[in-house]
Amino acid sequence: RVVVPFGKKKYVTGIVCSLAPVAPVDYEVKPIAIALDSKPIVRFPQIKFWEWIAEYYMCAIGDVYKAAVPAALKVESETYVEINPDIELADELMSLTEIEVMIMQLLQHEGSLPVADIEKKLQSHQLTRSISCMLESGHIIISEKLVERYRPERKSYVVPLFNSDNYRDAFESVKGARKQEQLLQALLSLSDIHRPGVATREVERDTLLKRADVAPAILSALVKKGLVAIHKKEVNRFKFDGEGSGDLPELSEVQQQALSELYAQFRDKSTVLLHGVTASGKTEIYSHLIEQQLNQGNQVLYLVPEIALTTQLTQRLQKIFGNRVVVYHSKFSDNERVDIWKKMLDESKPWVILGARSSLFLPFSRLGLVIVDEEHDASYKQTDPAPRYNARDAAIVLASMHGAKTLLGSATPAIDTYFKATSGKYGLVTLSRRFNNQPLPPIKIIDLTAARKKKEMTGPLTISTIQAVNQTLDNNKQAIFFRNRRGFAPIARCKQCAWIPKCHNCDVTLTYHQSSHKLVCHYCGATYPLPNLCPQCRQPSVEVIGYGTERVEEELLNLFPSRKIIRMDLDTTRNKGNYQSLIEQFSAGKADILIGTQMVTKGLDFKNVKTVTVVNADELITFPDFKSSERGFNMLEQVAGRAGRGDSDGASVLVQTYQPDHPIYPFVVNHDYKGFYDYEIQERQRFNYPPFTRIIYVYLKHRDRGALQTFSQAYAGHLRQLLGNRVQGPDEPKVSRIKSLYIQRIMIKIESTASMAKVRNLLHQTYSAMASDPTMRTSTIYYDVDP
Ligand code: ADP
Ligand code: ZN
Ligand code: ZN
């Protein structure tokens, strides 16, 4: 990394990608200000991988860099000023005003300071003018002091100042002071310093105090006596204890056969899909593949779609592989992430990196295998901000850059993936039975319209659902409720005049959160009070409608008053440790019911869960998008997969819906992935959707609705000239305004055989051509490739 001047006063960090033998002639080059590292912080092929993402997903490479590198490795520049070292201070002070003298004295004392700090210290806000004058007169100069944000962790170490020859003297000098003796004794046993021939060894302060079981004051006493010294040292936070058992789970016959097939397919395919029903033991098979890679000295990247999943998996994998398991995701502090990054740069050990999508960007050295678990999961796609990449697809590219293999695992493969696996592009291995031949749990579709008519509902649940759950709980088993809305109620409304509060910045209704007594916009985070009086009709008649996780929890507390309930959603898992503690509590049987958003549906392995309830399946299956059936089927099948994992006796899945006749339910009820795939692939072909075409959305955003409409019409028109009827729209997406910007979307559908490079070229061409339109300057335009 280097710091380079950018414009007049700014400094930015950059990464040197290549060296040119001669200086460019068409612009002036400035010298590099500082080289930050003594060795590179990225390694081959990382930059190549960033370039691929930037090109394929049509964004700036800087956006990829921002997503890839932990913030702490980037340098910030703040404007610092200091006294011009070339002036004679004593002479100059005479010619300055009172305030200028104060500034000079402050700088003389402090060296250099950011302008903001000078204002703070002198308690004045009008200093910019004085400072500019002083800059102009040459009394002070700008010193760009760079702040590196990475703070290494420092620890104190104790160094004995005696050796094997004179350690007895040391004991002599503390004679009678029992605690000090105790401390010296501990120091000897930890440092071995009393043994002849042992070089000076330091001991970590906290470890020493713990071993000696004495207070820090005792250590200070030894320092005063000149027996030991203390010094601070940087340590890497990245560390794990324990070796792991190395014991792999013994595979069942069916699993063993699947494993052999995987090895066989990997011989001539670089990507293989493992299609195994829920609880068939895919994780067990992965551990065998991991073991083989580690034995060969290779690294393995194990990707999961949700951070929540790393918790259980870390435990399962660490039991086997011990400290060779490394976890990495965005809930880690920035400093922790840098530590892992640096460790991976310094050492090329065989590790399993377990992480969410950002772990794709780590500096791998010997990548042998990438496992993409739950490969169908929509969370692998980053929607905002750029790079809008799909981590599964990028993983395949990353693996090929390393000459590594990719294993995609799922009970409900993405339509796109299954298409590739059945047409020979990927290998395919199938596991159609659960481990121990447990049957998949029966699924009941519960008609909410009918239940409502017959008045067989309490809050969001039907009587039959409540009965089934009661039975489960009476048998000392656990239940899960799935509701894909957080907060208390998704809508507030006036009973009198039907007024509905909406966000001022976005085109969305506000969700009422009871814990904070606020209406919250889930798109921009803005909060509003819930009005006592309707602002439209002035009546005290504003009510909240519908059920979010908070309200379902409240209903459950009323329905099952003696049971302990855990809620898991974005609001209860804001911190790194939250997931772990909630999942552990539920696993350990410290609660009877788990209610949550989609994070409770994916991949978690709870042995004691018998009943899983989907509170409202309608919004899972009716989403205005060509992938809505796929997502709905996957989610329902995954939810179902949480029931009866230990043993399936009495397990059931309850799906509450207002549309019991929806075409995907028969497939769900029969756990018929293949049937669903055949149905869905025909729909895709009929309507010319992926995998038969590729889709790129062009998003246009602007503050002014009218200007945006005219502009996006013109934009689509230009695209049509180049791409013909492959261009559709512009249209308004379902949420047509976010954070005060109106949104229009143009869809480009391209034959799967067409050259993407050519299409990208035409898109870039349109972008340049539209630059002359005055609206362009104030709009935001970006692409979403393979949405
Ligand atoms: P999947 O990842 O396919 O959903 P898991 O790997 O989580 O399935 O396995 C489901 C359950 O069955 C887990 O609790 C796991 O411990 C158990 N299991 C699977 N295979 C074996 C095996 N070979 N030996 C012992 N237990 C197994
Ligand atoms: Zn009203
Ligand atoms: Zn908003």
Side-chain angles (χ1 to χ4, degrees):
R1 290 173 304 158
V2 293
V3 176
V4 292
F6 194 77
K8 275 219 170 80
K9 284 184 199 163
K10 270 189 84 179
Y11 283 77
V12 296
T13 331
I15 288 191
V16 178
C17 294
S18 63
L19 299 176
V22 285
V25 286
D26 39 353
Y27 56 90
E28 184 206 348
V29 270
K30 293 180 186 169
I32 289 171
I34 309 167
L36 284 173
D37 309 298
S38 51
K39 50 189 181 194
I41 64 142
V42 290
R43 68 160 99 217
F44 187 80
Q46 273 179 298
I47 292 182
K48 209 172 110 196
F49 180 56
W50 299 353
E51 282 168 349
W52 178 83
I53 290 190
E55 189 191 344
Y56 186 84
Y57 292 103
M58 305 189 68
C59 63
I61 186 138
D63 289 330
V64 187
Y65 164 71
K66 256 193 263 167
V69 177
L73 284 176
K74 296 166 211 155
V75 169
E76 280 178 315
S77 134
E78 291 176 35
T79 311
Y80 274 70
V81 293
E82 62 186 46
I83 296 175
N84 185 344
D86 297 337
I87 58 167
E88 265 316 321
L89 200 55
D91 300 346
E92 298 292 334
L93 285 180
M94 315 290 285
S95 66
L96 296 174
T97 64
E98 199 182 337
I99 185 79
E100 289 171 342
V101 172
M102 282 167 69
I103 294 174
M104 290 297 267
Q105 283 169 344
L106 182 65
L107 288 175
Q108 197 180 4
H109 190 244
E110 303 271 335
S112 69
L113 280 178
V115 175
D117 281 16
I118 298 179
E119 291 185 338
K120 218 184 292 159
K121 291 200 178 193
L122 297 182
Q123 289 172 4
S124 162
H125 293 296
Q126 268 92 45
L127 292 183
T128 4
R129 262 200 63 177
S130 310
I131 289 175
S132 325
C133 284
M134 292 166 77
L135 279 170
E136 221 155 280
S137 62
H139 286 94
I140 57 178
I141 54 168
I142 296 232
S143 79
E144 280 296 331
K145 187 159 172 177
L146 295 154
V147 196
E148 198 162 2
R149 285 200 272 170
Y150 170 60
R151 301 255 181 281
E153 186 169 302
R154 284 173 199 283
K155 280 203 166 161
S156 298
Y157 287 83
V158 179
V159 194
L161 297 177
F162 45 84
N163 54 36
S164 57
D165 298 334
N166 57 8
Y167 74 95
R168 284 193 185 82
D169 301 344
F171 272 96
E172 202 58 40
S173 64
V174 300
K175 204 162 182 186
R178 199 176 49 82
K179 296 246 153 144
Q180 295 182 21
E181 276 179 8
Q182 225 168 295
L183 188 60
L184 273 188
Q185 196 61 52
L187 185 60
L188 286 198
S189 67
L190 288 170
S191 68
D192 275 347
I193 194 76
H194 55 297
R195 299 232 160 82
V198 172
T200 317
R201 217 183 258 178
E202 57 194 17
V203 174
E204 207 221 314
R205 176 180 174 275
D206 294 347
T207 317
L208 177 66
L209 291 178
K210 211 162 156 201
R211 169 74 75 98
D213 193 22
V214 299
I218 311 295
L219 181 59
S220 310
L222 292 193
V223 175
K224 263 199 209 120
K225 285 187 178 162
L227 294 175
V228 299
I230 295 181
H231 73 103
K232 286 187 184 266
K233 212 167 68 167
E234 255 183 48
V235 293
N236 200 309
R237 292 173 191 78
F238 169 93
K239 59 195 166 282
F240 281 103
D241 298 325
E243 280 290 302
S245 65
D247 291 340
L248 288 169
E250 205 172 307
L251 295 185
S252 70
E253 205 175 313
V254 187
Q255 291 171 336
Q256 184 57 50
Q257 197 183 336
L259 181 66
S260 320
E261 262 180 70
L262 281 174
Y263 284 131
Q265 301 234 1
F266 272 134
R267 250 172 255 138
D268 48 47
K269 301 269 197 256
S270 48
T271 304
V272 178
L273 168 66
L274 175 61
H275 177 205
V277 296
T278 51
S280 54
K282 294 186 288 296
T283 319
E284 270 66 25
I285 295 181
Y286 300 157
S287 26
H288 282 258
L289 290 165
I290 293 169
E291 165 83 357
Q292 190 222 22
Q293 291 293 332
L294 296 180
N295 284 345
Q296 290 175 11
N298 287 339
Q299 297 173 338
V300 177
L301 171 61
Y302 188 146
L303 282 180
V304 289
E306 285 274 338
I307 295 170
L309 282 179
T310 56
T311 302
Q312 279 194 338
L313 276 175
T314 308
Q315 290 167 1
R316 277 170 86 171
L317 294 175
Q318 273 180 349
K319 237 185 241 165
I320 309 171
F321 303 111
N323 53 16
R324 289 177 293 173
V325 180
V326 177
V327 187
Y328 186 86
H329 56 66
S330 58
K331 286 267 157 107
F332 275 46
S333 78
D334 219 48
N335 287 326
E336 289 171 309
R337 286 199 270 171
V338 173
D339 281 337
I340 293 177
W341 187 290
K342 290 197 159 171
K343 191 85 175 178
M344 287 188 67
L345 276 180
D346 290 346
E347 297 172 33
S348 312
K349 290 205 175 132
W351 278 309
V352 199
I353 313 293
L354 173 65
R357 57 178 185 241
S358 62
S359 47
L360 276 177
F361 295 112
L362 283 167
F364 296 99
S365 47
R366 298 198 52 179
L367 193 58
L369 174 70
V370 181
I371 296 168
V372 186
D373 198 15
E374 316 288 353
E375 64 81 31
H376 61 274
D377 201 295
S379 314
Y380 278 127
K381 179 73 178 8
Q382 172 154 320
T383 42
D384 248 333
R388 297 177 174 81
Y389 66 108
N390 184 317
R392 173 200 58 212
D393 299 340
I396 294 173
V397 172
L398 178 73
S400 80
M401 286 179 175
H402 280 270
K405 304 284 183 188
T406 309
L407 179 65
L408 307 175
S410 175
T412 53
I415 296 292
D416 202 42
T417 303
Y418 203 72
F419 182 75
K420 286 180 178 137
T422 46
S423 58
K425 184 151 190 240
Y426 300 161
L428 173 63
V429 175
T430 309
L431 268 173
S432 45
R433 300 195 144 264
R434 279 189 158 181
F435 173 66
N436 271 348
N437 285 332
Q438 297 285 347
L440 289 160
I443 297 185
K444 293 192 194 112
I445 307 294
I446 297 175
D447 183 351
L448 289 176
T449 318
R452 183 134 283 168
K453 249 192 227 149
K454 289 191 241 159
K455 302 228 178 324
E456 290 177 346
M457 286 194 78
T458 304
L461 303 177
T462 67
I463 304 287
S464 61
T465 303
I466 297 166
Q467 279 166 351
V469 172
N470 253 326
Q471 200 172 7
T472 295
L473 299 177
D474 288 346
N475 290 334
N476 276 328
K477 301 293 179 190
Q478 293 171 301
I480 293 182
F481 287 83
F482 167 48
R483 174 72 182 117
N484 217 8
R485 275 293 184 101
R486 66 190 171 92
F488 188 78
I491 296 180
R493 191 178 62 186
C494 170
K495 273 189 273 194
Q496 296 294 334
C497 72
W499 170 81
I500 290 178
K502 286 194 149 191
C503 179
H504 297 332
N505 315 317
C506 315
D507 167 35
V508 290
T509 59
L510 299 167
T511 302
Y512 178 61
H513 284 241
Q514 194 167 50
S515 52
S516 58
H517 297 289
K518 288 247 162 67
L519 292 165
V520 181
C521 170
H522 285 181
Y523 280 80
C524 73
T527 60
Y528 308 81
L530 181 69
N532 292 323
L533 291 182
C534 166
Q536 197 163 278
C537 68
R538 300 267 139 216
Q539 299 294 313
S541 49
V542 181
E543 59 174 357
V544 295
I545 307 169
Y547 291 86
T549 45
E550 246 184 40
R551 194 176 192 179
V552 175
E553 182 188 18
E554 192 184 85
E555 291 285 338
L556 292 173
L557 281 165
N558 291 332
L559 286 166
F560 310 104
S562 62
R563 307 297 180 175
K564 190 152 184 312
I565 300 176
I566 289 179
R567 173 161 62 93
M568 196 161 99
D569 56 27
L570 193 65
D571 299 313
T572 62
T573 55
R574 298 227 180 249
N575 299 321
K576 183 179 152 201
N578 293 155
Y579 290 108
Q580 186 163 350
S581 110
L582 295 178
I583 289 172
E584 276 170 7
Q585 285 175 46
F586 193 64
S587 277
K590 295 205 178 114
D592 310 291
I593 298 175
L594 176 66
I595 153 84
T597 51
Q598 52 179 343
M599 53 179 84
V600 304
T601 69
K602 300 178 183 176
L604 293 170
D605 188 29
F606 300 116
K607 296 269 190 305
N608 218 19
V609 171
K610 283 290 150 121
T611 311
V612 176
T613 306
V614 180
V615 177
N616 183 334
D618 296 315
E619 56 186 20
L620 302 181
I621 54 176
T622 44
F623 196 76
D625 183 316
F626 72 94
K627 281 192 180 164
S628 102
S629 298
E630 174 179 350
R631 277 205 207 109
F633 179 86
N634 288 351
M635 223 180 254
L636 290 170
E637 192 58 41
Q638 291 294 334
V639 178
R642 297 320 109 208
R645 293 176 75 88
D647 86 274
S648 58
D649 240 18
S652 69
V653 181
L654 311 168
V655 177
Q656 303 195 136
T657 174
Y658 284 101
Q659 311 168 56
D661 301 325
H662 194 283
I664 77 164
Y665 286 132
F667 303 120
V668 173
V669 167
N670 295 319
H671 297 286
D672 183 8
Y673 175 79
K674 195 65 183 35
F676 170 71
Y677 173 80
D678 290 339
Y679 159 82
E680 181 64 14
I681 199 80
Q682 277 173 30
E683 296 284 291
R684 297 283 180 92
Q685 188 153 30
R686 192 144 66 100
F687 297 104
N688 229 352
Y689 272 116
F692 301 99
T693 51
R694 286 164 175 276
I695 289 180
I696 298 177
Y697 287 130
V698 184
Y699 280 92
L700 304 104
K701 297 189 177 179
H702 198 275
R703 274 177 191 282
D704 183 310
R705 188 164 188 206
L708 176 65
Q709 266 166 359
T710 318
F711 178 59
S712 45
Q713 288 292 351
Y715 207 103
H718 196 282
L719 283 170
R720 250 182 219 109
Q721 285 174 16
L722 302 173
L723 289 157
N725 60 5
R726 295 179 190 86
V727 181
Q728 292 176 19
D731 300 307
E732 251 178 17
K734 186 167 153 249
V735 175
S736 64
R737 192 170 67 120
I738 296 176
K739 294 183 186 162
S740 301
L741 294 176
Y742 289 91
I743 310 167
Q744 290 276 329
R745 188 172 76 177
I746 302 169
M747 177 162 82
I748 324 266
K749 243 189 202 179
I750 311 133
E751 310 84 299
S752 43
T753 47
S755 147
M756 282 299 273
K758 215 165 169 184
V759 173
R760 284 196 292 263
N761 216 337
L762 296 176
L763 287 172
H764 290 312
Q765 209 174 308
T766 302
Y767 185 90
S768 313
M770 293 302 290
S772 57
D773 191 305
T775 316
M776 181 83 159
R777 221 169 23 85
T778 43
S779 337
T780 307
I781 296 171
Y782 62 83
Y783 307 96
D784 189 1
V785 180
D786 299 339

